[in-house]
Amino acid sequence: MSTPGPEKRARAPRSRAAEPSQPLGSLSQSGSRAGFRVESCGECGGQALTRLRMTLGDGLPVLFVSCHDCEGKAWFRADDDGSELTREDVIARSGKRDRKG
């Protein structure tokens, strides 16, 4: 025979403070957060582009752009400079860095 344990009560869900909504953005529409814009593909001139903002392993903010028409790809510095990076530059900057130093 088992002894009855304490009764389990259903808990009311906790309410969370409402966070201000933020726009989700778009992968195919040029944003205005960078100091530069990529409006067309550098290879074919196509304007159907996917744009992804990210930060590389060394902390450099970049913009990756891929063309829907020719599948061309390019990386750009996501600061006011906006200069194009080579694939080798991106790979070299993408490794994890030891931050203990």
Side-chain angles (χ1 to χ4, degrees), residues 31-68:
S32 61
R33 292 187 299 175
F36 72 99
R37 294 182 133 177
V38 178
E39 297 295 336
S40 62
C41 175
E43 293 183 32
C44 75
Q47 294 183 340
L49 305 174
T50 295
R51 300 165 187 87
L52 298 172
R53 293 183 190 283
M54 59 190 78
T55 302
L56 299 181
D58 68 351
L60 179 70
V62 296
L63 175 68
F64 171 74
V65 179
S66 175
C67 178
H68 296 209

Side-chain angles (χ1 to χ4, degrees), residues 27-100:
L27 293 177
S28 61
Q29 299 296 316
S30 180
S32 61
R33 292 187 299 175
F36 72 99
R37 294 182 133 177
V38 178
E39 297 295 336
S40 62
C41 175
E43 293 183 32
C44 75
Q47 294 183 340
L49 305 174
T50 295
R51 300 165 187 87
L52 298 172
R53 293 183 190 283
M54 59 190 78
T55 302
L56 299 181
D58 68 351
L60 179 70
V62 296
L63 175 68
F64 171 74
V65 179
S66 175
C67 178
H68 296 209
D69 297 330
C70 73
E71 298 185 12
K73 296 165 183 57
W75 295 86
F76 299 91
R77 295 177 61 104
D79 54 17
D80 289 337
D81 178 59
S83 60
E84 188 170 354
L85 298 168
T86 66
R87 182 176 181 269
E88 291 75 23
D89 288 337
V90 173
I91 290 170
R93 293 171 170 268
S94 294
K96 289 186 178 180
R97 304 283 190 233
D98 183 14
R99 298 185 187 219
K100 291 181 182 177

